[in-house]
């Protein structure tokens, strides 16, 4: 019995000696001191020892048990000290290793287009200004030579604000950026070379219209401004924005706030000016190879008068078109539905 107990103690000691982890120590503890452990079994066997010898062996077995317990907890302490000492190595972060790039966003295509338009016009001396996108009727229509109830207003599909009116009429969500012309002229600081890029709202939605979109408005007022200047500005813009392969044409048109007025057309970038798309069907974007860029003309004398500017001394040209539409008309972009721009599908947006 005594030999067997000492043998167990030796076995525990050597097992502990080679143990390297807490798990291994735990396994040793279970193997010898656990409920079904070897020492436990031996203690149970004391019943087979003659009654007179039991106290001696019992004391001996308990002594061995305590020695084992002490050895096990000593080993545990050693292992934890070693673990702490090695922490600097095992938990080390190599800051010189190449890192992982966090995902990076970029500006929305419309913002990119706005920036590009701004830069193009800044190069010929136009300054970007800001005017309200919720404005009085006076600025959106009345001062632009469109009196109340004039049928021309119908073309602007306007959203009205549910707000009290004023001397300047009702409040509207700006249906075009031409309100900027009036604000600018009212300041009376002439000559003027401004662009106004802002949000516009109209009650329309299909492949070429969305209820919220952006327009760019240009206004140039000086002495002796003529249609020649207008053509020059538009040609410069078409070359700078679309590239040399796109062509423009001016069609006589009617706007209440310009006289004469034109519609500016540009050859379609989706079908290449043919009017037929890649599926050999009618191009969804253009009319027979031409897309409307927007409107333009010479500032109407009534507009000058409404803003206390003398039409005999000053003359001006104005133009305006949609930012999104303009962007879609760029060469090589096969975007045939304007709504795609605002669907927030990253697979689409990431391409620009
Ligand atoms: N405001 C006009 C529109 O929304 C465009 C335009 C601007 C026409 C300036 C003439 C001069 O259709």
């Amino acid at each position: 019995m005594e030999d067997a107990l000492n043998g167990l103690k030796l076995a525990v000691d050597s097992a502990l000696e080679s143990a390297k982890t807490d798990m291994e120590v735990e396994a040793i503890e279970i193997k010898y001191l656990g409920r079904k452990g070897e020492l436990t079994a031996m203690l149970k066997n004391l019943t087979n020892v003659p009654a007179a010898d039991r106290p001696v062996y019992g004391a001996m077995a308990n002594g061995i048990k305590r020695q084992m317990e002490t050895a096990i907890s000593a080993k545990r302490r050693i292992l934890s000290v070693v673990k702490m000492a090695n922490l600097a190595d095992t938990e080390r972060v190599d800051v010189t290793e190449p890192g992982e790039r966090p995902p990076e966003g970029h500006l929305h295509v419309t913002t990119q287009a706005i920036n590009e338009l701004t830069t193009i016009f800044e190069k010929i001396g136009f300054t970007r200004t800001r005017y309200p996108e919720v404005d009085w009727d006076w600025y959106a229509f009345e001062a632009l030579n469109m009196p109340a109830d004039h049928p021309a207003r119908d073309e602007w599909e306007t959203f009205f604000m549910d707000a009290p009116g004023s001397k300047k009429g009702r409040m509207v969500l700006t249906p075009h950026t031409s309100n900027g012309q009036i604000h600018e002229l009212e300041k009376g600081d002439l000559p003027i070379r401004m662009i106004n890029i802002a949000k516009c709202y109209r009650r329309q939605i299909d492949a070429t219209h969305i209820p919220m979109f952006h327009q760019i408005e240009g206004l140039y007022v000086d002495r002796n401004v003529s249609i020649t200047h207008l053509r020059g500005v538009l040609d410069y813009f078409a070359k700078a924005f679309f590239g040399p392969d796109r062509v423009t044409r001016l069609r006589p048109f009617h706007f209440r706030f310009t006289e004469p007025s034109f519609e500016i057309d540009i050859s379609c970038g989706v079908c290449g000016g043919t009017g037929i798309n890649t599926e050999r069907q009618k191009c969804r974007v253009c009319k027979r190879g031409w897309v409307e860029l927007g409107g333009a003309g010479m500032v109407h004398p009534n507009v000058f008068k409404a803003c206390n500017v003398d039409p005999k001394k000053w003359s001006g040209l104005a133009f305006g078109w949609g930012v999104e539409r303009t962007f879609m008309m760029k060469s090589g972009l096969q975007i045939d539905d304007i709504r795609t721009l605002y669907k927030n599908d990253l697979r689409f947006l990431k391409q620009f």
Side-chain angles (χ1 to χ4, degrees):
M1 179 88 189
E2 193 177 342
D3 286 349
L5 283 170
N6 283 329
L8 275 190
K9 173 72 174 66
L10 285 177
V12 168
D13 283 346
S14 82
L16 283 177
E17 183 110 31
S18 52
K20 286 185 186 62
T21 64
D22 283 341
M23 294 244 293
E24 285 173 63
V25 175
E26 172 116 14
I28 294 164
E29 190 173 35
I30 290 167
K31 182 171 180 212
Y32 294 95
L33 298 174
R35 248 183 336 116
K36 289 178 183 159
E38 294 186 23
L39 184 74
T40 320
M42 229 178 247
L43 285 169
K44 280 183 191 152
N45 275 341
L46 276 177
T47 42
N48 301 333
V49 176
D53 297 337
R54 265 180 225 162
V56 182
Y57 287 123
M60 196 184 285
N62 276 324
I64 294 282
K65 188 183 174 191
R66 246 173 281 120
Q67 283 176 34
M68 285 181 183
E69 284 166 352
T70 315
I72 285 170
S73 49
K75 180 71 184 188
R76 283 208 170 107
R77 240 175 291 124
I78 288 168
L79 283 181
S80 87
V81 168
V82 170
K83 193 172 158 191
M84 293 310 277
N86 287 342
L87 214 56
D89 286 328
T90 54
E91 303 287 296
R92 212 177 100 216
V93 175
D94 183 354
V95 293
T96 66
E97 254 185 42
E100 242 177 68
R101 266 195 175 283
E104 227 175 67
H106 66 67
L107 296 176
H108 187 272
V109 284
T110 305
T111 311
Q112 291 181 40
I114 289 172
N115 292 344
E116 191 182 349
L117 290 168
T118 308
T119 310
I120 287 173
F121 281 102
E122 274 173 357
K123 284 189 185 150
I124 52 168
F126 284 75
T127 304
R128 186 174 174 197
T129 55
R130 297 288 200 152
Y131 294 109
E133 291 165 348
V134 181
D135 210 350
W136 300 110
D137 183 291
W138 168 259
Y139 296 98
F141 293 118
E142 187 87 28
L144 286 164
N145 201 27
M146 280 189 271
D149 301 325
H150 195 282
R153 288 185 176 212
D154 293 352
E155 278 163 40
W156 274 268
E157 300 275 353
T158 312
F159 288 111
F160 288 87
M161 293 291 292
D162 192 4
S166 78
K167 284 203 304 285
K168 293 184 168 178
R170 292 182 68 183
M171 257 198 175
V172 299
L173 298 184
T174 50
H176 56 175
T177 42
S178 299
N179 65 322
Q181 290 189 35
I182 306 303
H183 283 285
E184 190 66 34
L185 287 166
E186 272 189 352
K187 284 199 280 183
D189 189 8
L190 299 143
I192 293 165
R193 229 186 286 183
M194 74 98 186
I195 52 164
N196 173 33
I197 306 179
K199 289 188 187 71
C200 298
Y201 304 87
R202 288 187 203 180
R203 211 181 130 272
Q204 279 182 337
I205 188 156
D206 57 36
T208 54
H209 299 90
I210 33 173
M212 188 286 301
F213 60 103
H214 296 76
Q215 272 192 352
I216 174 171
E217 187 89 8
L219 178 67
Y220 173 37
V221 177
D222 208 331
R223 316 257 176 193
N224 303 317
V225 176
S226 71
I227 294 179
T228 322
H229 296 111
L230 177 62
R231 281 236 64 133
V233 169
L234 296 177
D235 283 350
Y236 159 77
F237 166 74
K239 280 195 175 65
F241 193 78
F242 296 110
D245 56 322
R246 304 295 284 276
V247 288
T248 57
R249 71 174 182 190
L250 287 185
R251 260 185 301 119
F253 201 70
H254 176 76
F255 291 107
R256 293 281 303 174
F257 37 93
T258 45
E259 180 57 35
S261 303
F262 305 98
E263 247 183 357
I264 317 153
D265 285 344
I266 185 150
S267 55
C268 178
V270 172
C271 65
T274 60
I276 308 291
N277 68 15
T278 44
E279 281 110 45
R280 300 227 178 119
Q281 277 156 358
K282 214 171 119 241
C283 180
R284 285 217 288 155
V285 171
C286 68
K287 286 183 195 136
R288 293 195 203 94
W290 294 96
V291 253
E292 270 174 47
L293 177 67
M298 306 307 295
V299 179
H300 196 289
N302 287 354
V303 174
F304 279 139
K305 282 182 207 154
C307 304
N308 292 320
V309 173
D310 185 352
K312 290 201 185 72
K313 282 195 195 140
W314 301 94
S315 48
L317 61 87
F319 52 86
W321 54 74
V323 171
E324 289 85 350
R325 178 180 299 218
T326 312
F327 173 74
M328 288 166 65
M329 281 152 56
K330 263 184 179 279
S331 308
L333 295 184
Q334 302 281 318
I335 309 169
D336 62 3
D337 192 327
I338 195 168
R339 292 167 290 195
T340 325
L341 266 58
Y342 293 108
K343 278 191 177 148
N344 280 342
D345 185 338
L346 287 181
R347 288 167 305 176
F348 170 78
L349 293 173
K350 274 181 177 167
Q351 298 172 62
F352 304 100

